[in-house]
Amino acid sequence: MERLRSELRRHEHLYYVLDRPEISDAEYDGMMRELERLEREHPEIPVPPDSPTLRVGGAPREGFVKVRHSAPMLSLDNALDAGELAEFNRRVADLLGGQPYRYAAELKLDGLSMAVHYEGGVLKQAITRGDGLEGEDVTSNARTIRTLPLRVAGAGWPRFEVRGEVIMTRRAFDALNAEREAQGLPLYANPRNSAAGSLRVLDPSVTAARQLEFIAYFLLVDGQPAMESHFESLERLAGMGFKVNPERSLCSSLGELLAFCTKWEEARETLPFEIDGVVAKVDSVAQQRLLGWTAKAPRWAIAYKFSARAAETVLENIEVQVGRTGTLTPVACLRPVVVGGVTVSRATLHNEEEIARLGAAIGDTVLVERSGDVIPKVVEVRKRPPERRAFIMPTKCPVCDSIVVRAEGEVASRCLNTNCPARLKESLLHWSARTVMDIDGVGEALVDQLVDLGLVRSIADLYSLTFEQLKDLERMGEKSAAKVLANIDASRRRPLPRLIAGLGIPFVGERTAQLIAEAIPSISRLRAATQEELQSVNEVGPKVAQAIRRFFDEPHNEELLARLKDAGLPMEWTPPSKPAGGALAGLTFVLTGTLPTLSRDEAKALIEAHGGKVAGSVSRKTSVVVAGEDAGTKLEKARELGILVWDEATLREKIR
Ligand code: IVH
C-alpha cells in the first residue's frame, strides 16, 4: 500500500505540476482503485491522512484552469419506471394549474456535459461541467472535436453558449480498446469513461485521435435559454451546424412520452452510441420559469432511466483460451443470467492482473455488466464464500502442453510454441479477418478442419490449398470451395500495412501496422531495422519495437515471410500521398504571423491532430505556409519558392 501511495504521488506530481504524465489516466485510476480496495479490505492498517485516496474526488484538476459557469449546470432527477414518470407528470400538471403543456423528449446520452462559449461566431472557450458551478477550461481539447463547429456564421447573437454532451461512439470505443489491448495497455470500462479520459488530458493531440463527438442540447444567451421553445432551440442549433440529438420528439401527453421511452429502451442497441435513458423537458421556457428549480435539479425536467444492464451471478469456473499471439486469456464461466434481455454465460477477464484487481475467485458472486455491443464483463465481486477457489494461471498451455511464460513488465502469459494448434487457428482467423486480409469464408468452421486435418500448418499454406482439398470438407461443396479459393487469391493484392497487421506481432494492431508501413514500407527494410529505427516510428515504444525485432529474429517467421513472398504477396508498398491518417497527413506546415483566432500552439495542435507536421522554417520541403497578420520574412520566402499560402479560414476549410 505504501508503494502504491508513493507511486500515485509521483504520478500526480508528473501530471499536475510538471504536465508530463508517464501513464494514462486509466492506469492512474486503476492504481487508485487498487489502493482504495486495499484500504477498504484492511481496516486494521491505519490510513495516513495524506493518502492519495483521501483527496476530494471530482475536483477540477490542477493542469486545467478553473472557470465559473454562466449559470449552474444542474443535474436531473431520475424516474426509474413508468410510475415515477407519471408522478413527475402529475407534479408538473399541478404546478402549471391546468395550462396545456408539452414535453421535448430527447435521448439521454451517456457521456459528459460541456459548455461551449462563442463570441462573434467563433468558439472561444469550452468548459467541462466540473461540480456544476465551476468546471475546467478544456478549449484546446474541445477544438479537436469534429462535430463541434469552430465558427458559426450568422448566429444573430454577439455571444452565446451551447451546452451539450461529449460522447464516444461504440465503434470508436471498440477501436480504441482493441488498440490498447494490442499495445498491452489497460482498457477503458465504457465509452463514457473513455470520453471523459480523452477530454481531460493535457495533450490535445490525444483528444484528437480519440474521435469524440459533441451533441448539443441547450442554447443560452447570458446563461438564459435563447428561445422560448426548447424544441425550437434544438432545431435552431441544428441549423447553426451543431450536431443535436438525432432522435427527438415533441410529446403532448404522458402516453406519448412513455411511448418514446419504451421505444428507445428497446431500440437502444441500434444506436451508434450508448444512451442510459430519455430526458423529458417541459418545452415552453415560460413554463420552465414557473416550475423553477430545486437546489439540485430543475422541476421542469426528468431523466427516465433505463433498467440496469448488470446482474449478479456465480462465477462457476475460469477457463483459459489461447489467442493468436499465444496469449492465455482467462474467461469467466458464469451461471447463466439475463442481463438487459440477453442471457450471458461467459465474460472476459482479460488477464491475471485483472483477476487480482477484481479480487475474484471461483465460486464468488460477481456483478456482470453489458454495455453496448461490448463483450460482457465482470465488474465487481459481490460475495466471497468461504469455499471459494483461487484461480491459478496454468504453467503449461492448455492446448499443446508447451511451457507458458509471462514476460517481465507484461500482463499477459503466453504459450511460446509458435506451432501450437490453438495459436495457429487464431492466427488464421486473424489473418482472414475483414479488417486485415479480408478473406471471406475462412471462418471458424473451416479453420478448425484445415488445422485438425493437417492441411494447413502455417498461414502460408492457405495459398497452396487446392480445390480438391477443399471441396470435400464439411459444410463446403464445390461452389463454396471455388469461392473460398477466389477470396484467398484476392487477398494476395492487399497492401503491406494489412499484411503487417496480419502477422500477429504482439502489440502491433491495425493502426500501428499502418504507421510502421508508412515509415518503413518494405519487409526487407523492416527485417533489417534496428530497435532504434523502429522506435523512431510514431507510437512505437521500446516494448513494441522489441516485439517486432523478436518476431523477425525468429527463424520460423523468416520462413513464413519467404513463403508468403513466393505466394505472390506484396513485400513492398508505396504509401499514398494522402494516407488515412488525417486530412493534412503528409503535409509540412510553417506558421507565421498572428492568426485571427488560433494561438501558435493551438494552430500547431490542430494541424498535428489532422496528421500534418509543423516545421520552424520555410524550405523547399514545406508544403504550406499558414500566414496571419504581420507575417514577415517567412511569407516572403514562401512566395519566392512558390509555396502554397493559406489563411486560417482555408486551414479550417481543409480539415472540416
Ligand atoms: S439536460 C438541467 N439533456 O445527463 C438540465 N442532459 O443527469 C440538465 N445528459 O449532466 C441537462 N443527455 O450530462 C440533458 N439530452 C440531454 C442529456 C443530458 C445526457 C446528461 C448530462 C447531465 C446529466 C443529468
Side-chain angles (χ1 to χ4, degrees), residues 543-562:
K543 199 165 72 174
V544 184
Q546 194 184 38
I548 300 172
R549 270 277 28 106
R550 280 209 189 126
F551 180 88
F552 284 104
D553 289 341
E554 161 73 45
H556 282 113
N557 295 330
E558 186 127 356
E559 187 193 320
L560 168 66
L561 285 161

Side-chain angles (χ1 to χ4, degrees), residues 71-236:
M73 288 181 85
L74 298 176
S75 63
L76 294 169
D77 283 333
N78 292 331
L80 299 182
D81 53 37
E84 292 188 11
L85 193 64
E87 207 173 292
F88 162 78
N89 180 55
R90 205 168 310 124
R91 227 167 31 236
V92 169
D94 284 352
L95 288 167
L96 289 179
Q99 293 178 15
Y101 58 92
R102 287 190 298 190
Y103 293 113
E106 298 163 42
L107 304 180
K108 185 167 189 300
L109 306 153
D110 204 4
L112 62 150
S113 43
M114 185 169 79
V116 192
H117 294 263
Y118 288 80
E119 267 177 49
V122 175
L123 188 161
K124 272 278 141 66
Q125 194 173 42
I127 317 169
T128 61
R129 177 171 182 271
D131 63 6
L133 298 175
E134 240 182 16
E136 298 161 344
D137 184 327
V138 289
T139 313
S140 309
N141 293 347
R143 272 189 213 282
T144 68
I145 301 176
R146 292 173 194 222
T147 54
L148 185 61
L150 296 172
R151 183 189 291 270
V152 175
W157 300 281
R159 291 155 188 271
F160 61 89
E161 175 183 350
V162 177
R163 290 182 178 181
E165 201 82 353
V166 177
I167 58 160
M168 186 179 272
T169 61
R170 286 195 191 123
R171 181 196 282 262
F173 170 75
D174 290 344
L176 174 64
N177 260 356
E179 196 65 36
R180 288 176 74 86
E181 181 146 44
Q183 299 190 345
L185 295 172
L187 305 185
Y188 281 114
N190 52 49
R192 206 198 84 80
N193 285 3
S194 67
S198 307
L199 189 64
R200 298 174 71 237
V201 289
L202 292 172
D203 176 0
S205 68
V206 172
T207 315
R210 295 290 174 84
Q211 299 187 37
L212 299 175
E213 292 200 15
F214 178 80
I215 300 193
Y217 49 68
F218 278 131
L219 175 57
L220 306 178
V221 174
D222 292 329
Q224 296 300 315
M227 307 188 62
E228 272 307 303
S229 147
H230 177 70
F231 202 76
E232 273 171 35
S233 76
L234 293 177
E235 315 256 288
R236 178 72 178 260

Side-chain angles (χ1 to χ4, degrees), residues 37 315 318-320 329-332 348-362 381 384 388 390-393:
R37 183 178 70 81
L315 178 58
I318 299 179
E319 279 178 9
V320 175
T329 306
V331 177
T348 174
L349 284 165
H350 298 299
N351 51 50
E352 258 178 302
E353 210 138 278
E354 174 74 0
I355 297 175
R357 189 184 71 73
L358 290 163
I362 298 162
V381 174
R384 296 185 167 84
R388 62 206 292 264
F391 166 75
I392 300 163
M393 196 58 150

